[in-house]
Amino acid sequence: MDHSHPNDIFIKAGGVEVEKPPLVVDGDNTLSGTHNGSVCVHDGTLTIVRGATHNGSLTVQPSAHVAIHGVHNGSLTIGSSATSEVLGAQNGSVHVDANGALRVAIGGRLAGSLTVAGRIENAGVRGGTVTKIGGEVIDLPGSTIKEPQCGADGANVVRW
């Protein structure tokens, strides 16, 4: 393994810090219900089922795969030769390494800033800034790009 998994730190009532190890996925796994904390997928496929929610960072190591049918709230990092698909909702920044790929299916939602060295194919809805680092974002026929609007406080807001 060429990386480490530091513990997540949760702040409880009264300011008490509680440490929890991240979920490390080695092989096919399914996430149902609600999971709070970071997840690192080493190999195989992690499926976040419809109706499930993951709150925390999600890292997909090279050659691994993630299928988001439910909701992921947090950053998503897709490594080289790793793949992910969003059939539900990805709410948070996305980073796709060179040779990595993310596909947003019809009905899927990608909400957050994108940093792309690999490839994103969007058949659903996306909104947020895009920074290309040699990568590409392809909006397929029928997809939607949500443009930010000026909110009451002057901030740019994407309305879903």
Side-chain angles (χ1 to χ4, degrees), residues 17 36 44 56 101 115 125 127 129 134 136 138 149 151 154:
E17 289 187 11
N36 297 313
T115 303
V125 180
T129 61
E136 61 184 340
I138 299 169
Q149 300 171 348

Side-chain angles (χ1 to χ4, degrees), residues 32-101:
S32 57
T34 299
H35 177 78
N36 297 313
S38 58
V39 174
C40 186
V41 184
H42 285 188
D43 58 50
T45 298
L46 172 66
T47 302
I48 300 173
V49 300
R50 173 178 242 158
T53 300
H54 170 225
N55 302 307
S57 64
L58 176 55
T59 303
V60 189
Q61 293 294 319
S63 301
H65 179 75
V66 167
I68 303 170
H69 295 265
V71 177
H72 173 239
N73 299 312
S75 63
L76 171 61
T77 302
I78 302 168
S80 177
S81 76
T83 57
S84 293
E85 59 184 326
V86 177
L87 299 104
Q90 162 60 38
N91 302 311
S93 62
V94 174
H95 178 94
V96 183
D97 285 345
N99 299 316

Side-chain angles (χ1 to χ4, degrees), residues 2 8 26 36 49 65 67 93 96 104 112 117-118 128 135 139 144 147-148 160:
D2 62 348
D8 295 328
D26 288 305
N36 297 313
V49 300
H65 179 75
S93 62
V96 183
V104 182
D139 293 304
T144 302
E147 297 294 336
W160 296 96

